[in-house]
């Protein structure tokens, strides 16, 4: 536990020290669960957005993107179910005065049982060596059988009670499982209550219910209400998708863990419209596509897993999360939801407008079904940052901090450095910088010793550092240093562009 917290603390302090992320309103002592992206962080964030947009929108002929308003008609949230049902069950510990999400307390309890199972498996592996058969072991080991049946029982009880909104029984479940507060250690709980997560404000100069509007808690509804606009003006044929990147706001009960859970965050969502009856096929398709997309980033396939939802949201007939191994453990990074025709039908009902598609192949009108892929941009940022930050021991016994970002996403593609600040080297380096800056985002750095400058670039993930020295003036050659191998190679200036291009986004998209 302490190790996990240390890792997160290291990431938070690295993010601040190098200009990735600052606490919001810091000079006023901050505002809880809001963060600002700094000069390096916003470059990384823009590159992540652009990678998602290119791979989801621009290379798919049948997916287009929009940018809808954050403020929307309040009836949209009635139609979508958010006004009535966008709630989290919360519970307070009377001793620590800390507030928790009841479902998350129970899920953490389940995770602890999973850990016990993993321990048994490790023991088995040690005992049986090469002859170890994990599947068989899981089916026959009495401790594992007992743990699995405990998990099953807890999951079934939680699902039933959440679906029935039976808050008293959720409280009883927490008591029966003897769950204690991680802070106070006590089991002195309040009752469970529902808490709506939407932020509201007033539009115009009138106050009161009639002027009440909400800050959108998801970007998806902006897509649904524009379904017909986009389909007609874009002459889109089903199956097709509409994507959007934008801010969302949720008054989270507990907003800890850095940018993992914030009250203002950004989502990258895509709604894929399909004929009714094809939802199973497309759900499977998007699950596979999305996990492949993640694997390509190179953060390690072992860091991902699927988690099927125990309790389905009111709009879904199938749903899972792609979980990532964050410093705090495996947690949701992306959701894939089969949303049926719920949203479009609800908007038809509440707006009185038809949201249908005429299918020329079937010669009939229908309300399309929808598969949604929804990823939190900030969570993806944290996944990339946390898995890239390393401390490496070098041969000379010293340490270096390395941020091994996927090069295509790095804030700067190259750092241009003159060896010294004299003999015309800065002028030459500036000329190279002024050429390259139109092709890639580059940084010019002439301060401190070369070693220190290399370390600074390693810490912000710049894949290449280009050093201009006296030989450059003679034969137009420079040294180019690779961030990961630290190897330096002498190359002609005219080859720099090709070397950097090899690490470009186009390669990641192929
Ligand atoms: P959680 O269970 O963690 O609260 P969720 O299931 O409510 O998340 P969705 O409604 O499916 O999340 O939202 C889609 C994605 O948006 C999530 O997978 C996550 O990456 C991101 N997201 C949701 N809430 C937040 C938040 N408070 N801060 C940052 N990202 C978030």
């Amino acid at each position: 536990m302490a190790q996990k917290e240390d890792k997160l603390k290291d990431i938070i302090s690295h993010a601040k020290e190098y200009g990735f992320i600052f606490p919001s309103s810091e000079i006023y002592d901050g505002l809880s669960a809001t963060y600002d992206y700094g000069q390096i962080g916003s470059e990384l964030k823009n590159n992540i957005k652009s990678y998602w947009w290119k791979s989801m929108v621009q290379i798919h002929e049948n997916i287009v993107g929009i940018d809808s308003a954050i403020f929307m008609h309040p009836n949209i949230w009635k139609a979508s179910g958010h006004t009535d049902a966008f709630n989290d069950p919360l519970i307070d510990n009377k001793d620590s005065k800390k507030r928790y999400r009841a479902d998350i307390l129970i899920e953490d309890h389940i995770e602890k049982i999973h850990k016990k199972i993993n321990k048994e498996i490790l023991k088995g592996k040690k005992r049986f060596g090469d002859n170890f058969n994990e599947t068989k072991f899981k089916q026959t080991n009495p401790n594992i059988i007992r743990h699995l049946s405990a998990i099953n029982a807890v999951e079934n009880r939680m699902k039933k009670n959440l679906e029935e909104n039976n808050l008293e029984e959720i409280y009883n479940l927490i008591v029966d499982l003897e769950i204690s507060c991680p802070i106070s250690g006590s089991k002195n709980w309040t009752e469970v209550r529902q808490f709506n997560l939407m932020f509201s404000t007033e539009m115009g100069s009138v106050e009161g219910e009639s002027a009440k509007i909400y800050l959108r808690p998801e970007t998806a509804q902006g897509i649904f209400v524009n379904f017909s606009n986009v389909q007609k003006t874009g002459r889109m044929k089903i199956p097709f998708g509409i994507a959007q990147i934008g801010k969302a706001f949720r008054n989270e009960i507990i907003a800890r863990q850095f940018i993992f859970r914030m009250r203002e965050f950004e989502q990258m969502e895509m709604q894929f419209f399909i004929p009714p009856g094809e939802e199973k096929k497309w759900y499977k398709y998007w699950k596979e596509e999305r996990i492949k997309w993640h694997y390509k980033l190179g953060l390690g396939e072992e860091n991902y897993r699927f988690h099927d939802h125990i309790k389905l949201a009111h709009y879904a007939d199938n749903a899972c999360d792609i979980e990532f191994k964050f410093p705090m453990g495996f947690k949701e990074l992306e959701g894939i939801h089969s949303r049926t025709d719920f949203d479009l039908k609800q908007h038809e009902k509440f707006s009185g407008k038809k949201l249908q598609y005429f299918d020329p192949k079937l010669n009939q009108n229908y309300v399309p079904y929808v598969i949604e892929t929804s990823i939190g941009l900030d969570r993806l940022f944290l996944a990339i940052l946390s898995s890239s930050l390393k401390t490496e021991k070098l041969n000379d016994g010293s340490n270096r901090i390395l941020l091994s970002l996927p090069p295509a996403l790095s804030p700067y593609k190259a750092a241009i450095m003159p060896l010294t600040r004299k003999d015309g080297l800065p002028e030459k380096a500036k000329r190279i910088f002024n050429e390259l800056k139109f092709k890639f985002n580059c940084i010019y750095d002439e301060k401190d010793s070369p070693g220190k400058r290399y370390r600074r670039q390693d810490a912000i993930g710049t894949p290449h550092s280009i050093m201009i020295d006296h030989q450059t003036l003679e034969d137009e050659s420079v040294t180019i240093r690779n961030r990961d191998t630290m190897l330096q190679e002498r190359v002609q200036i005219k080859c720099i562009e090709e070397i950097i291009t090899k690490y470009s986004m186009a390669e990641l998209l192929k």
Side-chain angles (χ1 to χ4, degrees):
M1 185 75 175
Q3 216 178 0
K4 284 181 189 170
E5 277 168 16
D6 286 350
K7 172 85 180 157
L8 191 62
K9 271 192 196 143
D10 285 349
I11 292 160
I12 296 170
S13 71
H14 187 88
K16 178 150 187 241
E17 187 179 345
Y18 288 94
F20 285 92
I21 296 167
F22 307 124
S24 167
S25 322
E26 198 187 5
I27 58 169
Y28 289 92
D29 296 332
L31 179 70
S32 92
T34 45
Y35 289 90
D36 296 338
Y37 285 81
Q39 69 282 9
I40 306 288
S42 36
E43 293 289 348
L44 174 56
K45 194 180 184 197
N46 281 338
N47 290 344
I48 298 173
K49 271 196 227 187
S50 161
Y51 170 49
W52 184 89
W53 190 263
K54 281 202 163 84
S55 53
M56 291 299 277
V57 179
Q58 295 178 343
I59 66 170
H60 284 105
E61 272 174 56
N62 60 345
I63 302 181
V64 290
I66 63 164
D67 184 9
S68 72
I70 287 172
F71 292 147
M72 294 197 275
H73 196 286
N75 284 351
I76 287 176
W77 305 112
K78 282 200 185 126
S80 67
H82 282 81
T83 318
D84 292 329
F86 194 50
N87 301 322
D88 275 344
L90 68 87
I91 189 166
D92 292 340
N93 183 268
K94 290 184 194 161
D95 298 314
S96 67
K97 308 268 182 278
K98 284 277 170 203
R99 181 162 285 181
Y100 297 93
R101 257 173 67 178
D103 56 331
I104 288 192
L105 279 182
I106 299 167
E107 274 180 5
D108 285 348
H109 178 86
I110 294 173
E111 188 59 30
K112 276 187 194 150
I113 312 181
H114 274 297
K115 283 201 178 124
K116 285 187 191 162
I117 295 177
N118 288 341
K119 265 194 191 153
E120 290 291 340
I121 293 174
L122 274 181
K123 269 200 256 167
K125 269 187 189 155
K126 260 194 199 156
R127 196 173 347 135
F128 297 110
D130 289 345
N131 297 328
F132 184 65
N133 177 336
E134 186 168 324
T135 320
K136 202 165 157 211
F137 187 73
K138 276 190 188 157
Q139 285 162 352
T140 52
N141 179 289
N143 287 342
I144 295 187
I145 294 173
R146 191 166 37 81
H147 291 321
L148 283 175
S149 104
I151 291 176
N152 217 352
V154 177
E155 283 184 346
N156 286 340
R157 224 174 129 186
M158 176 159 93
K159 178 174 187 263
K160 180 170 181 287
N161 293 319
L162 284 173
E163 273 168 6
E164 290 170 0
N165 198 17
N166 190 341
L167 301 181
E168 206 179 315
E169 268 307 302
I170 295 172
Y171 170 84
N172 289 339
L173 180 57
I174 289 175
V175 173
D176 292 350
L177 295 174
E178 299 185 2
I179 294 176
S180 55
C181 165
I183 309 271
S184 66
S186 90
K187 300 183 185 96
N188 196 5
W189 297 109
T190 62
E191 59 184 4
V192 177
R193 277 162 295 151
Q194 289 288 21
F195 180 79
N196 192 290
L197 299 179
M198 281 200 294
F199 281 103
S200 64
T201 184
E202 267 122 32
M203 185 159 244
S205 54
V206 213
E207 273 184 39
E209 269 313 300
S210 59
K212 188 168 173 182
I213 57 162
Y214 297 98
L215 274 73
R216 67 178 177 203
E218 62 176 27
T219 58
Q221 298 304 323
I223 294 178
F224 293 129
V225 297
N226 277 299
F227 166 75
S228 284
N229 282 340
V230 175
Q231 192 272 317
K232 291 201 172 91
T233 57
R235 292 173 298 147
M236 307 303 292
K237 287 202 178 66
I238 273 181
F240 74 90
I242 306 179
Q244 157 150 256
I245 301 179
K247 289 260 171 153
F249 304 82
R250 296 182 187 179
N251 199 2
E252 298 279 2
I253 299 169
I254 34 156
R256 290 188 219 120
Q257 297 172 330
F258 196 33
I259 56 170
F260 179 81
R261 189 177 297 287
M262 295 195 285
R263 300 206 164 100
E264 173 183 343
F265 58 98
E266 230 166 315
Q267 289 187 314
M268 306 194 285
E269 297 197 300
M270 194 278 298
Q271 311 295 329
F272 199 69
F273 299 94
I274 53 171
E278 292 192 6
E279 56 275 20
K280 284 209 167 63
K281 172 178 113 186
W282 287 108
Y283 175 68
K284 183 168 174 280
Y285 173 85
W286 280 109
K287 264 179 83 169
E288 284 166 9
E289 280 297 297
R290 292 305 301 153
I291 197 77
K292 271 195 260 164
W293 184 91
H294 284 285
Y295 288 167
K296 262 199 200 169
L297 278 175
L299 308 182
E301 295 188 11
E302 68 287 359
N303 289 325
Y304 297 88
R305 71 180 188 197
F306 279 111
H307 169 79
D308 291 320
H309 282 200
I310 301 174
K311 182 209 167 209
L312 291 173
H314 57 277
Y315 53 75
D317 70 357
N318 228 334
C320 68
D321 299 332
I322 294 178
E323 293 187 336
F324 185 79
K325 198 170 177 198
F326 288 98
M328 317 77 81
F330 273 102
K331 303 255 176 222
E332 172 175 350
L333 170 62
E334 170 159 4
I336 298 160
H337 310 127
S338 174
R339 293 184 79 123
T340 67
D341 55 1
F342 175 85
D343 301 271
L344 291 180
K345 276 214 169 127
Q346 282 294 97
H347 289 306
E348 278 199 327
K349 196 164 122 196
F350 277 72
S351 69
K353 309 278 176 352
K354 284 234 168 304
L355 293 174
Q356 302 196 352
Y357 174 76
F358 176 74
D359 195 325
K361 277 193 247 149
L362 304 174
N363 197 26
Q364 86 182 48
N365 279 307
Y366 56 76
V367 178
Y369 270 48
V370 173
I371 306 296
E372 164 183 78
T373 72
S374 172
I375 182 165
L377 173 54
D378 313 271
R379 285 195 191 174
L380 182 56
F381 188 107
L382 182 60
I384 292 171
L385 193 67
S386 60
S387 55
S388 302
L389 185 62
K390 297 162 191 155
T391 305
E392 258 188 16
K393 210 157 199 69
L394 302 180
N395 288 340
D396 65 2
S398 66
N399 284 336
R400 77 157 171 159
I401 294 172
L402 171 67
L403 194 66
S404 60
L405 295 173
L409 303 182
S410 288
Y412 299 111
K413 301 295 176 255
I416 321 295
M417 314 169 168
L419 182 64
T420 63
R421 276 200 258 185
K422 46 184 203 269
D423 304 333
L425 297 183
E427 290 75 7
K428 181 72 183 169
K430 272 272 162 74
R431 276 203 293 281
I432 296 175
F433 173 76
N434 284 331
E435 280 266 315
L436 284 178
K437 74 180 179 191
F438 292 104
K439 306 206 169 89
F440 315 101
N441 196 26
C442 297
I443 183 168
Y444 178 81
D445 191 5
E446 59 176 29
K447 280 188 220 91
D448 298 325
S449 70
K452 268 197 185 159
R453 281 184 270 169
Y454 285 148
R455 291 286 175 276
R456 207 157 43 223
Q457 296 310 321
D458 289 345
I460 59 170
T462 310
H464 290 109
S465 293
I466 293 156
M467 188 65 81
I468 287 82
D469 56 17
H470 293 91
Q471 196 180 325
T472 312
L473 303 180
E474 286 163 23
D475 65 4
E476 290 288 296
S477 72
V478 293
T479 60
I480 185 159
R481 173 186 178 272
N482 182 296
R483 172 195 75 190
D484 301 321
T485 60
M486 291 192 291
L487 290 178
Q488 297 181 30
E489 210 189 331
R490 198 131 205 129
V491 301
Q492 287 293 300
I493 294 172
K494 58 178 191 290
C495 301
I496 299 175
E497 194 183 323
E498 195 190 323
I499 295 172
I500 300 176
T501 306
K502 264 203 193 148
Y503 282 78
S504 74
M505 178 111 50
E507 292 300 314
L508 197 57
L509 289 168
K510 270 181 203 158

